[in-house]
Amino acid sequence: MPKPLRSVLTLVALAAGLSGCGTVNEKLSAGMGDYVPQWAGGLPADAPPRPGTPQYDAYMKERERKRLMPAADREKEEQAQKGATGSTSGGAAR
């Protein structure tokens, strides 16, 4: 096989291999982002669930329920939730 043809074939093979890595990494990065810890730049703890999951559907229903609720009732519910979580988190240490 002539040397120029061998060089061209080697370059084509490298380019094909490199382009294949790009599509693999794109698919992996979409799923691996969920497993990166928050301190390393991952999702925050209060991030909503991913679309297409049952948790996302429940999250959207709850969000819509709160949106349709009168503002006074919504504030009372938020204060009750904050009071319930604040009493268990060691609020006396403040």
Side-chain angles (χ1 to χ4, degrees):
M1 190 179 279
K3 187 173 182 176
L5 184 59
R6 194 176 333 149
S7 297
V8 170
L9 286 176
T10 303
L11 287 174
V12 168
L14 287 173
L18 190 58
S19 67
C21 289
T23 58
V24 169
N25 288 337
E26 178 184 341
K27 293 175 184 174
L28 284 176
S29 66
M32 291 303 293
D34 295 340
Y35 301 109
V36 175
Q38 184 180 2
W39 59 264
L43 289 174
D46 61 346
R50 296 257 185 207
T53 62
Q55 295 88 2
Y56 180 77
D57 295 336
Y59 171 79
M60 291 306 288
K61 285 180 184 176
E62 178 65 18
R63 192 170 156 192
E64 181 66 16
R65 183 188 68 80
K66 285 184 180 180
R67 187 184 71 81
L68 296 174
M69 186 183 295
D73 294 342
R74 197 176 328 144
E75 290 174 4
K76 289 177 186 176
E77 185 177 307
E78 288 174 2
Q79 289 176 356
Q81 287 177 351
K82 287 179 184 177
T85 58
S87 63
T88 60
S89 65
R94 292 182 185 177

